[in-house]
């Protein structure tokens, strides 16, 4: 090892890789979470974040000298002394390993980061009905909101925490002139101590985790529906599920997936067929003039009610039901509060545009919606 004068080799390449992968995967996961249709990328980097945390914890037991978790300085008295010393003595010596502030920083990232990773994995199964945990959606769908809130606020917390950490490092760099920024790049810290050494099996462990991260990235962003990302919901073929519904209600617009509206809404649509958004649909009309026989109406609405939002554990159905808050469902999807909330940021001119025409034309922006698929990655506003 090429020892620099006055410097100690603190962070071997593996520790630095873990550090930067945790930092970058968190940052990217946060950025991707801002866009609904980037969910697959969010999940991909999120799992890398989780894997790196697991690796960091293992590294904390078997890793190099200064990365060991038992070297963290977690006494509050030491923390207080650290800050007092920092203010009093600009040119104080810094320890080779973690100082009390960075010890607390590390431990909290590990704990809160684990909470974020676990709730994220659960959400992917419970809320999205996807991946190996998709089966959890059946029995635990009612926890999707609380899991989401924990996931979200814990992430905000880590974001703020990371900003504090960065500010702390910059103060070290520019005020105390300890060259702290470069320690996590070159591995050398301007301090006294014994150099870190790395054994062979430790490098092997790093390669294993890097390989797993690359694999996760590949499988979760790969376009094919592999079991890692597959939805528990199969696509629908409404033509075969209910030919009557498909042909009669698909005459003027694509038939809407039944799980979009609650029973009370479908019954309202049924009652209002004589004036269906300005169209008259009735059994007494002559054939070809929007006639749907009483018999067919019964068949259609039995089918719709049987598959309505009240009967489904899909994210969208659960949220539609929740946003009704006990009130009777509206006749149209676009009048339901959940729909209004999720589309509030889309300006009106987009709905009026040539390719979309109207709000109820879900199919223009939600690819595969006519097959009952409502995937975040399928959302695309036509240009
Ligand atoms: C004669 C043509 C026609 C037929 C047949 C028809 N609809 Fe419609 N439907 C319309 C029109 C027009 C609208 C209003 C679209 C708009 O302006 O947003 C509409 C809107 C809807 C909406 C509300 C969409 C929204 O969220 O705004 C639902 C739900 C609906 N139809 C269900 C049905 C069902 C169920 C059937 C079969 C019983 C059916 N429709 C048959 C013409 C038709
Ligand atoms: C102009 C394009 C457009 C139309 C038309 C449209 N949507 Fe959307 N929809 C979007 C966009 C964009 C988002 C994502 C909004 C966001 O996250 O900021 C979205 C979000 C959603 C969501 C929430 C997805 C989630 O996972 O949070 C649902 C559910 C949804 N749309 C259903 C519908 C239905 C049903 C219709 C038809 C009645 C419809 N949309 C019509 C563009 C559209």
């Amino acid at each position: 090892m090429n020892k620099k004068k006055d410097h100690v080799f603190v962070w071997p390449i593996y520790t630095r890789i873990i550090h930067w992968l945790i930092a970058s995967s968190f940052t990217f996961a946060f950025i991707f979470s801002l866009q609904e249709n980037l969910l697959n990328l969010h999940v991909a980097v999120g799992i890398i974040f989780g894997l790196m945390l697991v690796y960091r914890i293992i590294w904390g037991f078997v890793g190099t000298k200064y990365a060991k978790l038992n070297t963290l300085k977690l006494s509050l008295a030491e923390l207080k002394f650290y800050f007092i010393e920092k203010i009093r003595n600009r040119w104080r010596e810094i320890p080779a390993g973690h100082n009390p502030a960075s010890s607390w920083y590390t431990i909290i990232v590990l704990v809160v980061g684990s909470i974020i990773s676990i709730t994220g994995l659960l959400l992917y199964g419970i809320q999205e009905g996807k991946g190996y945990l998709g089966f959890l959606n059946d029995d635990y769908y009612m926890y999707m909101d609380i899991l989401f809130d924990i996931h979200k606020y814990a992430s905000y917390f880590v974001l703020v925490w990371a900003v504090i950490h960065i500010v702390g490092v910059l103060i070290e760099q520019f005020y105390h002139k300890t060259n702290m920024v470069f320690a996590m790049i070159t591995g050398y810290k301007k301090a006294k101590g014994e150099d870190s050494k790395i054994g062979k099996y430790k490098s092997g462990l790093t390669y294993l985790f890097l390989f797993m991260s690359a694999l996760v990235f590949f499988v979760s962003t790969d376009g094919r529906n592999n079991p890692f990302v597959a939805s528990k919901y199969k696509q629908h073929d409404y033509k075969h599920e209910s030919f009557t519904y498909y042909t009669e209600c698909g005459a003027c617009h694509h038939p809407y997936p039944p799980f979009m509206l609650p029973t009370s809404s479908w019954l309202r649509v049924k009652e209002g067929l004589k004036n269906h958004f300005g169209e008259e649909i009735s059994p007494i009309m002559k054939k070809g003039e929007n006639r749907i026989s009483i018999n067919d109406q019964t068949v259609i609405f039995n089918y719709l009610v049987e598959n309505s939002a009240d009967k489904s554990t899909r994210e969208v159905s659960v949220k539609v039901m929740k946003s009704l808050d006990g009130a009777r469902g509206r006749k149209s999807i676009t009048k339901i509060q959940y729909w209004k909330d999720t589309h509030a940021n889309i300006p009106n001119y987009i709905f009026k545009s040539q390719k979309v025409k109207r709000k109820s034309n879900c199919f223009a922006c939600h690819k595969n919606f006519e097959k009952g698929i409502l995937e975040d990655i399928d959302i695309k506003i036509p240009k």
Side-chain angles (χ1 to χ4, degrees):
M1 218 160 290
N2 176 16
K3 191 168 159 62
K4 293 191 199 170
K5 207 165 171 284
D6 298 337
H7 280 64
V8 51
F9 187 60
V10 182
W11 311 124
I13 182 78
Y14 306 116
T15 313
R16 281 175 274 154
I17 288 176
I18 301 174
H19 174 270
W20 291 114
L21 271 178
I22 289 181
S24 55
S25 57
F26 179 82
T27 309
F28 279 110
F30 200 92
I31 293 171
F32 293 147
S33 76
L34 303 175
Q35 279 276 320
E36 204 79 50
N37 56 0
L38 297 180
L39 182 76
N40 60 340
L41 283 173
H42 172 77
V43 170
V45 290
I47 295 178
I48 293 176
F49 175 72
L51 272 175
M52 283 299 133
L53 287 183
V54 171
Y55 181 39
R56 177 63 185 90
I57 293 168
I58 298 175
W59 196 246
F61 291 99
V62 308
T64 49
K65 190 171 158 73
Y66 300 105
K68 290 247 167 69
L69 290 177
N70 63 10
T71 65
L72 294 184
K73 302 183 182 73
L74 295 172
S75 115
L76 288 177
E78 266 182 300
L79 186 67
K80 195 173 146 197
F81 181 75
Y82 167 81
F83 280 112
I84 292 175
E85 190 59 12
K86 198 176 170 67
I87 296 166
R88 261 202 309 224
N89 183 2
R90 182 172 177 188
W91 309 111
R92 80 225 192 287
E93 268 186 28
I94 57 164
H98 280 287
N99 63 48
S102 73
S103 298
W104 276 100
Y105 179 74
T106 306
I107 207 79
I108 287 192
V109 167
L110 291 180
V111 172
V112 184
S114 302
I115 294 173
I116 297 172
S117 306
I118 292 166
T119 48
L121 277 179
L122 289 174
L123 275 169
Y124 198 54
I126 291 176
Q127 175 161 305
E128 304 290 327
K130 287 181 142 192
Y132 289 109
L133 296 181
F135 71 95
L136 291 176
N137 168 271
D138 294 335
D139 294 325
Y140 300 103
Y141 65 89
M142 58 290 216
Y143 299 120
M144 62 176 75
D145 283 345
I146 172 93
L147 283 170
F148 183 76
D149 284 345
I150 298 173
H151 190 67
K152 182 168 83 176
Y153 291 113
S155 308
Y156 290 167
F157 177 84
V158 169
L159 185 71
V160 173
W161 194 237
V163 171
I164 295 174
H165 167 63
I166 293 168
V167 170
V169 171
L170 291 178
I171 291 174
E172 278 295 335
Q173 177 76 23
F174 295 109
Y175 177 71
H176 298 292
K177 311 246 189 240
T178 50
N179 231 0
M180 192 78 100
V181 172
F182 296 98
M184 251 321 157
I185 299 171
T186 62
Y188 286 93
K189 213 165 165 181
K190 214 158 121 189
K192 291 200 182 81
E194 219 177 282
D195 284 344
S196 292
K197 291 181 194 67
I198 336 152
K200 261 203 197 109
Y201 82 99
K202 289 179 188 171
S203 357
L205 193 65
T206 309
Y207 293 129
L208 179 70
F209 270 84
L210 286 180
F211 174 73
M212 284 197 289
S213 299
L215 196 67
V216 162
F217 194 82
F218 178 74
V219 288
S220 42
T221 53
D222 144 62
R224 282 166 301 160
N225 224 356
N226 66 63
F228 203 79
V229 294
S231 171
K232 78 173 265 246
Y233 304 110
K234 299 285 157 274
Q235 68 177 49
H236 287 276
D237 179 355
Y238 293 112
K239 194 169 174 177
H240 286 96
E241 278 178 41
S242 172
F243 187 72
T244 318
Y245 174 58
Y246 182 82
T247 45
E248 301 293 355
C249 299
C252 307
H253 46 68
H254 282 295
Y256 294 100
F259 59 77
M260 283 309 303
L261 284 173
T263 298
S264 57
S265 290
W266 287 126
L267 295 180
R268 269 195 168 176
V269 174
K270 185 181 186 192
E271 286 159 19
L273 282 182
K274 281 214 173 72
N275 181 4
H276 180 74
F277 304 89
E279 300 282 341
E280 190 178 344
I281 302 174
S282 116
I284 56 164
M285 303 182 83
K286 283 193 226 101
K287 238 198 154 32
E289 287 176 344
N290 306 344
R291 178 181 186 274
I292 303 183
S293 72
I294 291 284
N295 210 5
D296 282 353
Q297 288 190 17
T298 311
V299 170
I300 288 169
F301 286 94
N302 278 350
Y303 167 73
L304 289 172
V305 165
E306 233 162 73
N307 296 284
S308 63
D310 343 22
K311 311 282 159 55
S312 172
T313 60
R314 283 168 190 271
E315 177 186 1
V316 55
S317 305
V318 171
K319 294 200 164 155
V320 161
M321 293 313 294
K322 214 175 149 139
S323 86
L324 295 181
D325 217 5
R328 219 176 143 206
R330 311 293 292 262
K331 219 166 87 177
S332 61
I333 304 165
T334 46
K335 291 270 155 49
I336 290 205
Q337 196 55 46
Y338 172 62
W339 191 92
K340 291 188 188 170
D341 293 344
T342 47
H343 297 77
N345 293 332
I346 303 174
N348 230 357
Y349 74 86
I350 289 184
F351 290 118
K352 299 252 159 68
S353 69
Q354 195 61 32
K355 296 246 170 74
V356 181
K357 291 196 178 76
R358 60 186 77 88
K359 288 183 176 170
S360 59
N361 189 13
C362 328
F363 313 89
C365 308
H366 296 278
K367 204 177 104 202
N368 295 322
F369 190 52
E370 65 281 4
K371 296 177 199 150
I373 295 175
L374 199 55
E375 293 266 359
D376 293 330
I377 52 170
D378 283 341
I379 300 177
K380 196 164 179 229
I381 296 179
K383 293 246 159 60

